[in-house]
Amino acid sequence: MLIHTSIEQKLLQAFQPVFLDVINESHMHSVAPGSESHFKVVIVTPAFDGMRLLQRHRAVNSVVAEELAEKIHALALHTYTPSEWYEYYAEKPPVSPKCFGGSKKDAKALG
């Protein structure tokens, strides 16, 4: 099973979100084509009502702990309650920052 699919299924089951987007951002980093190492998750669920940001992130991380431990290098989380989402981001989801990491090819060229 693809890592993307595994993350999506686990989050759907655990949180019953009103909005979920699992985005493979590996192509934005210095990895092989087709990699599944860098993901962004945008999740909107009433389950986050009353939770602080750190609690939300811990809750998501616990659901995808296996993927984080064994398969994923980076996971960007954007966690919202429905009211936060509709007030701030429904029209335009947050954008991930650009990767500043170098590639192995760059290091060889400098050496």
Side-chain angles (χ1 to χ4, degrees):
M1 174 185 304
L2 293 174
I3 297 169
H4 174 276
T5 304
S6 177
I7 294 169
E8 191 171 73
Q9 288 177 353
K10 287 180 177 184
L11 294 176
L12 285 169
Q13 183 177 1
F15 296 106
Q16 296 84 45
V18 296
F19 179 85
L20 175 64
D21 198 7
V22 179
I23 304 159
N24 183 350
E25 295 186 327
S26 301
H27 67 279
M28 297 167 51
H29 302 273
S30 298
V31 297
S35 293
E36 287 191 289
S37 58
H38 296 72
F39 288 89
K40 174 169 73 174
V41 169
V42 180
I43 182 169
V44 181
T45 178
F48 293 150
D49 284 334
M51 295 174 81
R52 294 178 182 220
L53 184 62
L54 183 58
Q55 293 171 312
R56 296 173 188 187
H57 286 210
R58 285 180 175 162
V60 171
N61 286 341
S62 70
V63 171
V64 294
E66 179 184 342
E67 288 80 4
L68 285 168
E70 299 174 8
K71 302 168 186 169
I72 298 174
H73 174 73
L75 180 64
L77 297 177
H78 301 277
T79 57
Y80 306 100
T81 64
S83 61
E84 291 168 341
W85 177 252
Y86 292 118
E87 184 175 346
Y88 299 113
Y89 296 111
E91 302 271 330
K92 185 178 180 185
V95 178
S96 294
K98 296 209 185 282
C99 177
F100 291 109
S103 71
K104 293 178 184 176
K105 288 188 264 183
D106 293 340
K108 288 180 184 176
L110 296 174

